[in-house]
């Protein structure tokens, strides 16, 4: 389970990195962070230690939140699952893994019920020759698939959160664009408008201080 948690942590770190890269543009050594509306000159090292600490804390809180959700999904694991495989081993039998998976988790997106890919398991090993090893591998397969099922649920939450933020950001940009177009199209407002784009924010700066009045 802790190995699964480590893998989830790596996945979430990748998502954070990709999301960060998607929200930044680099021009002439200057990185403009669209979400923050700030500009950091990477050549001059303008990013302060305080900003780095704040980013580090945000990352820590993000990862910790989802890792806690990951481990919470395994609550009661020993009582609900380990005993089933232990009892099967004591009776010199095996759990019907395909049926067992269908009872406790959603269908895996990669592997068929009761199966695990070669490379994870030893495809050359003959089954039913060692009941203890077979049961241990069945239990490991179930544990990995349950971890995969939990990870999928977490990624669905992260995906929906990122999609929602993206929609909100796009809506804000569209509203600003609409306002800009209305100002430019209205001859009564301002002779000319210089538009300075700062991240996702538009600032309208008139080049004259008077209005045209018909």
């Amino acid at each position: 389970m802790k190995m699964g948690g480590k893998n989830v942590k790596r996945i979430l770190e990748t998502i954070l990195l990709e999301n960060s890269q998607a929200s930044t543009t680099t021009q002439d050594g200057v990185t403009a962070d669209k979400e923050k509306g700030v500009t950091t000159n990477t050549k001059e090292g303008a990013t302060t230690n305080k900003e780095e600490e704040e980013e580090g804390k945000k990352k820590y809180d993000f990862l910790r939140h989802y890792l806690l959700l990951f481990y919470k999904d395994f609550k009661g694991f020993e009582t609900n699952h380990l005993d089933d495989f232990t009892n099967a081993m004591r009776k010199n039998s095996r759990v019907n893994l395909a049926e067992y998976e269908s009872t406790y988790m959603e269908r895996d997106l990669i592997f068929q019920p009761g199966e695990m890919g070669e490379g994870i398991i030893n495809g050359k090993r003959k089954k039913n020759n060692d009941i203890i090893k077979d049961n241990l591998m069945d239990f490991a397969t179930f544990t990995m698939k349950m971890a995969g099922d939990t990870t999928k649920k977490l990624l669905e939450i992260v995906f929906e959160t990122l999609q929602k933020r993206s929609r909100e950001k796009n809506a804000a940009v569209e509203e600003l664009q609409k306002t800009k177009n209305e100002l430019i199209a209205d001859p009564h407002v301002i002779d000319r408008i210089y538009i300075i784009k700062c991240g996702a924010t538009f600032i309208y700066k008139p080049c004259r201080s008077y209005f045209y009045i018909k």
Side-chain angles (χ1 to χ4, degrees):
M1 278 183 278
K2 285 193 174 182
M3 183 179 286
K6 184 178 180 181
N7 289 334
V8 170
K9 179 174 175 288
R10 283 203 297 262
I11 292 170
L12 293 173
E13 286 174 336
T14 302
I15 292 173
L16 283 175
L17 178 61
E18 291 177 350
N19 189 54
S20 175
Q21 290 174 340
S23 67
T24 59
T25 56
T26 303
Q27 294 179 343
D28 300 326
V30 177
T31 301
D33 190 321
K34 294 180 180 179
E35 288 188 342
K36 295 180 182 177
V38 300
T39 301
T40 302
N41 191 313
T42 56
K43 289 183 178 179
E44 297 178 0
T47 302
T48 65
N49 290 333
K50 185 177 180 180
E51 289 173 340
E52 291 178 352
E53 289 176 2
E54 289 176 352
E55 286 299 314
K57 186 178 185 306
K58 288 179 182 178
K59 178 180 177 180
Y60 172 82
D61 291 341
F62 174 84
L63 294 174
R64 188 175 187 276
H65 171 71
Y66 284 102
L67 282 174
L68 281 173
L69 293 179
F70 175 81
Y71 288 123
K72 281 181 179 179
D73 211 46
F74 284 89
K75 186 176 181 179
F77 185 79
E78 180 176 355
T79 303
N80 296 329
H81 304 299
L82 181 60
D83 289 349
D84 292 335
F85 287 89
T86 302
N87 291 333
M89 200 178 301
R90 286 171 179 161
K91 296 175 183 178
N92 204 34
S93 63
R94 293 177 65 184
V95 170
N96 186 321
L97 192 56
E99 292 182 1
Y100 197 78
E101 286 180 17
S102 300
T103 301
Y104 291 104
M105 67 180 73
E106 295 180 3
R107 187 181 180 90
D108 192 87
L109 298 178
I110 308 297
F111 302 113
Q112 295 295 320
E115 297 180 5
M116 180 53 70
E118 288 191 25
I120 299 174
I121 63 172
N122 184 0
K124 297 180 180 180
R125 181 177 68 84
K126 293 183 179 181
K127 295 182 179 180
N128 302 319
N129 283 347
D130 188 335
I131 194 68
I132 295 177
K133 196 168 186 177
D134 286 340
N135 270 293
L136 288 174
M137 195 62 240
D138 287 344
F139 182 63
T141 297
F142 174 76
T143 304
M144 284 185 278
K145 283 193 171 181
M146 189 171 187
D149 187 61
T150 301
T151 302
K152 180 171 72 72
K153 294 174 185 175
L154 295 179
L155 292 177
E156 286 173 346
I157 295 172
V158 173
F159 177 79
E160 290 300 325
T161 300
L162 293 177
Q163 288 293 98
K164 180 181 178 182
R165 290 178 181 174
S166 178
R167 288 192 295 268
E168 290 173 349
K169 185 186 296 183
N170 291 337
V173 171
E174 289 176 4
E175 184 64 27
L176 288 168
Q177 185 67 40
K178 180 181 177 181
T179 302
K180 181 197 76 171
N181 293 339
E182 290 174 351
L183 288 171
I184 292 175
D186 191 343
H188 296 85
V189 181
I190 299 173
D191 179 27
R192 292 169 61 198
I193 300 175
Y194 288 117
I195 303 168
I196 304 172
K197 187 178 181 183
C198 299
T201 305
F202 291 100
I203 299 175
Y204 302 99
K205 181 180 179 182
C207 64
R208 298 183 185 178
S209 59
Y210 61 86
F211 299 90
Y212 280 125
I213 305 295
K214 287 186 178 181

